[in-house]
Amino acid sequence: MATNLSLDPKLLDQALKISGERTKKAAVTRALEEFIARRQQKHLLDLMGKLEWESGFDYKAERSRR
């Protein structure tokens, strides 16, 4: 999908240098992927302390079932 964006050239240059990507498109794609991953991780952290764990659950036994 073609999209025209007006991006800050300084930010784009920084993204190219930091990411090591060769093209602007690759740098923007990587930045979006990392942004999405970080936001998804934040949602997991929001669950901290809200889940109830079964005290008798043996996670080591569950690993060996495979």
Side-chain angles (χ1 to χ4, degrees):
M1 167 177 46
T3 303
N4 293 326
L5 298 172
S6 178
L7 302 173
D8 183 336
K10 291 178 184 177
L11 289 176
L12 194 51
D13 288 341
Q14 280 185 309
L16 279 166
K17 288 177 188 174
I18 292 171
S19 69
E21 296 293 345
R22 293 183 177 180
T23 65
K24 293 176 184 177
K25 177 183 176 181
V28 170
T29 298
R30 178 182 279 195
L32 287 170
E33 290 169 348
E34 290 183 13
F35 173 81
I36 291 165
R38 290 186 70 154
R39 289 296 171 115
Q40 288 174 337
Q41 290 171 357
K42 184 181 181 303
H43 291 299
L44 288 176
L45 287 175
D46 292 341
L47 293 175
M48 200 165 207
K50 295 180 182 177
L51 300 176
E52 295 181 22
W53 299 100
E54 186 176 321
S55 60
F57 181 71
D58 186 359
Y59 67 93
K60 290 183 180 179
E62 291 294 317
R63 285 187 202 161
S64 61
R65 285 189 348 161
R66 294 179 195 192

